[in-house]
Amino acid sequence: MRIGELAAAVGVTTRAVRHYHHLGLLPEPERLGNGYRDYTLRHAVVLARIRRLTELGLGLAEVRDVLVDDAGKDLAEVLAELDEDLARQEEAIRERRARLRTLLESEGGTPAEGPVSPELAALFRGTAHLTDSPMAAKDREILALIETSAPPEERERLMGLMSGVVDAPGGTERAMAVYRLLDALEGAGPDDPRIDEAARAVAECVPAGLLPEDAVLDESNSFLAALYADFAPAQAEAFRRALRILAGGRT
């Protein structure tokens, strides 16, 4: 058989056959006097096995491991590992579908910053009516960013702390007051006399334990530097002073 006939017989492309030659998965036959390779039934058997293994989800490196052992003693081990990997993928898919179902069924729909976790979506619903507050919208964006970038265990801890603040008696009202104070600083300079009041209000809303003991709270922290740059000068200064208040309270 020529390469096209072999590929057609097994149901793969000639490009795949050449690739398997290159990787050493499929032995290359001798060329005839006319320069064409002459493939035998044995080549078709091996190629068909490669196709079956790859369709099961094995990578080509794993296929090579299986083919090296002609007796197939390693195949059971490889397939067991593949089965475990597929089970992990199934669990991940179930978790993702459960999260999507929760978001779709949640009251008030999916927030503009979504998709986010059900816990953060519930937190956002407390300030969803503040559509005219630029600071509330920015706060939701930052919380979504932090939730996305934090490790799962840290994410759970942070959402629990933030939910405790909003769910506490008067928590939503305090958050609304902070947003109003910060919104009022839009366009103001870093020496505005209203900054101290805003800084104290921000510090009072930060739950105990939110900031790690070893947190770097100056602008050598690149995240904080980027955060400040995203705010108006007076707003950024309010956050700087709030962090200094919190840092002083830790010592």
Side-chain angles (χ1 to χ4, degrees), residues 12-181:
V12 300
T13 65
T14 56
R15 182 178 180 181
V17 174
R18 293 190 180 96
H19 186 53
Y20 297 151
H21 284 327
H22 178 70
L23 295 178
L25 298 177
L26 182 66
E28 290 193 51
E30 295 292 330
R31 291 184 183 271
L32 300 175
N34 58 10
Y36 289 109
R37 294 188 179 97
D38 182 28
Y39 290 92
T40 66
L41 183 63
R42 179 53 46 192
H43 290 99
V45 168
V46 174
L47 183 59
R49 192 177 188 203
I50 293 172
R51 176 182 168 180
R52 292 196 303 275
L53 291 170
T54 56
E55 287 177 346
L56 279 174
L58 271 68
L60 293 180
E62 294 169 315
V63 170
R64 180 186 293 109
D65 291 340
V66 173
L67 295 177
V68 163
D69 189 344
D70 290 334
K73 289 182 292 186
D74 290 337
L75 179 58
E77 181 181 351
V78 172
L79 292 181
E81 292 175 357
L82 176 61
D83 184 60
E84 291 171 3
D85 185 53
L86 290 173
R88 286 191 292 269
Q89 292 181 44
E90 285 178 344
E91 180 62 26
I93 290 171
R94 280 195 294 270
E95 291 176 0
R96 289 169 63 188
R97 292 195 65 194
R99 180 180 175 186
L100 287 172
R101 187 165 53 251
T102 301
L103 289 171
L104 291 170
E105 296 173 355
S106 64
E107 296 179 8
T110 302
E113 300 78 14
V116 295
S117 69
E119 294 78 14
L120 189 53
L123 187 64
F124 285 169
R125 284 195 289 274
T127 58
H129 61 289
L130 298 176
T131 55
D132 59 343
S133 172
M135 185 56 65
K138 191 180 290 287
D139 190 33
R140 289 193 291 269
E141 290 175 348
I142 293 169
L143 286 172
L145 168 62
I146 291 172
E147 183 192 48
T148 301
S149 58
E153 61 278 4
E154 180 64 7
R155 185 185 312 148
E156 184 176 349
R157 185 185 76 86
L158 291 174
M159 290 306 104
L161 289 171
M162 296 305 298
S163 297
V165 171
V166 175
D167 294 341
T172 300
E173 291 74 15
R174 282 191 294 273
M176 292 168 57
V178 171
Y179 292 142
R180 283 194 295 268
L181 288 169

Side-chain angles (χ1 to χ4, degrees), residues 185-224:
L185 294 176
E186 178 70 32
D191 56 352
D192 191 285
R194 298 170 294 175
I195 292 176
D196 279 339
E197 181 186 3
R200 287 193 297 271
V202 170
E204 288 170 2
C205 276
V206 175
L210 181 67
L211 300 176
E213 288 294 327
D214 59 349
V216 177
L217 301 181
D218 59 36
E219 288 177 67
S220 63
N221 181 321
S222 59
F223 181 83
L224 279 182

Side-chain angles (χ1 to χ4, degrees), residues 135 138 182-190 195 227-240:
M135 185 56 65
K138 191 180 290 287
L182 291 169
D183 283 333
L185 294 176
E186 178 70 32
I195 292 176
L227 185 72
Y228 293 147
D230 200 47
F231 290 111
Q235 294 169 337
E237 182 60 25
F239 284 112
R240 287 190 189 92

